[in-house]
Amino acid sequence: METLIGTFIIICLAFLGFGVGVLFFGKTASHDACGKVPEIDPEECLSQKAGLCPFEDDSGGLKMQRKARVNYPSSS
């Protein structure tokens, strides 16, 4: 029973602390529209910025890596 009362007191103090924090340190409400769609420049290659654009394999390392890959037969 003491554990239940202690838990109740701790929860009440936590809610009281949250309430005081919101009253004294709360931010003002932002009235911006939510879910704005970002404007994307059609001339910019986003996948190139992420490093996903294809490249030429001048050294042959990628071809060798693909040949060395172990392919297991499908279990169907």
Side-chain angles (χ1 to χ4, degrees):
M1 188 66 176
E2 295 87 19
T3 306
L4 184 63
I5 294 172
T7 305
F8 182 73
I9 291 172
I10 290 174
I11 290 175
C12 288
L13 288 174
F15 275 105
L16 183 67
F18 283 135
V20 168
V22 168
L23 285 176
F24 292 112
F25 305 109
K27 292 174 26 178
T28 57
S30 175
H31 297 290
D32 293 337
C34 14
K36 286 185 181 176
V37 177
E39 293 181 18
I40 299 174
D41 183 17
E43 300 296 322
E44 186 179 20
C45 178
L46 296 177
S47 47
Q48 185 177 13
K49 282 179 112 178
L52 300 175
C53 290
F55 59 92
E56 290 188 31
D57 185 24
D58 297 330
S59 66
L62 183 62
K63 186 177 179 182
M64 288 173 43
Q65 184 271 337
R66 287 186 178 167
K67 285 185 177 180
R69 183 174 51 193
V70 177
N71 292 329
Y72 295 104
S74 62
S75 60
S76 56

